[in-house]
Amino acid sequence: MCHSTDARPPLPPISGGSIDARDLTLTSADGTAFAAHLAVAETKGGAGMVVVPDVRGLQPFYEDLADRLADAGIHAIAIDLYSRTAGSGRRGADFDPGPHVVALQPDQIAADVAVAIDALEASDGGGAERCYLMGFCVGGRIAFLQAGAGHGLAGVIGFYGPPAGSHRSGLPAPIDEVRSFTSPVLGLFGGADPGIPAESIEAFDEALRGAGIEHRLVTYPDAPHSFFDRSAAEHADAADAAWRELLGFVGMPAQ
């Protein structure tokens, strides 16, 4: 279960304010126009974050998350990966992602991420001095894989991204690609998520260690898939802890 249409990200434990938030259209290397939402933090430079959504694509949850990241002092851009097959317009709650998730291609994903990084590094995107990428569910799997895509990322963060086994997207399993990774990895998982068993997280940890990749994998014992949601009050402690992990990973310890 990915985030529902009425889900919203929990608020960050620190706040610095943002100076600009807007929708925009980016153009990938093959000429594909794709939707994005950019939020610029008050202070120029510092950290930037590319946000890759879950299987439903770019939804208000991720636009809101980009805004919250900017509030915490991180320039952020949430991107849509379905524009090649679904168009770049807004989609309603009845959108069926099925045909589009299976059409995802690693080289196209990497090209779109590269453009998003460029947007964060540009002066009007915050002038980020170091960039990270975070993703959720299949976006979490994508986030792990981008550690080996040649972007020079300062780190990748996967929220409940399946690290092992096959996936309906056809994307490789991150555990099989760790030898190509060049970026540190933070993985955040729910212990009550039946889709990501503890054994697969332990195997991912071992593979990353064997490849010499700096990493931290955290499991919140009673948290389900998609626990990072401020409407799920019963999992507020896990969400707050995940925020603190995220902020510490990007060099902005929570106050």
Side-chain angles (χ1 to χ4, degrees), residues 82-108:
Y82 292 156
S83 292
R84 288 176 178 80
T85 53
S88 58
R90 285 196 170 271
R91 305 173 193 123
D94 59 347
F95 172 68
D96 177 12
H100 310 288
V101 70
V102 298
L104 291 172
Q105 298 295 321
D107 58 338
Q108 294 173 345

Side-chain angles (χ1 to χ4, degrees), residues 21-211:
R22 63 187 187 276
D23 295 336
L24 69 164
T25 300
L26 301 178
T27 303
S28 198
D30 63 1
T32 299
F34 64 95
H37 179 81
L38 173 70
V40 179
E42 187 173 27
T43 302
K44 293 284 187 175
M49 184 74 72
V50 179
V51 179
V52 179
D54 63 43
V55 71
R56 296 177 306 113
L58 185 58
Q59 297 284 332
F61 179 96
Y62 298 101
E63 297 168 340
D64 194 350
L65 178 57
D67 295 346
R68 301 291 76 78
L69 287 162
D71 286 343
I74 304 167
H75 315 297
I77 186 166
I79 63 173
D80 172 54
L81 294 179
Y82 292 156
S83 292
R84 288 176 178 80
T85 53
S88 58
R90 285 196 170 271
R91 305 173 193 123
D94 59 347
F95 172 68
D96 177 12
H100 310 288
V101 70
V102 298
L104 291 172
Q105 298 295 321
D107 58 338
Q108 294 173 345
I109 292 170
D112 294 352
V113 167
V115 173
I117 292 170
D118 289 344
L120 290 172
E121 292 177 340
S123 178
D124 62 355
E129 298 163 334
R130 62 187 190 280
C131 287
Y132 301 81
L133 184 142
M134 66 188 297
F136 295 75
C137 191
V138 67
R141 191 180 184 101
I142 288 169
F144 294 142
L145 291 170
Q146 294 310 293
H151 298 302
L153 291 164
V156 299
I157 305 167
F159 274 80
Y160 21 89
S166 61
H167 188 271
R168 60 173 166 156
S169 65
L171 295 173
I175 196 171
D176 296 330
E177 304 295 323
V178 294
R179 294 290 173 183
S180 70
F181 287 10
T182 58
S183 304
V185 172
L186 174 63
L188 303 172
F189 303 95
D193 182 350
I196 306 178
E199 293 79 6
S200 70
I201 300 171
E202 292 165 3
F204 191 38
D205 178 61
E206 183 178 346
L208 289 165
R209 191 181 308 113

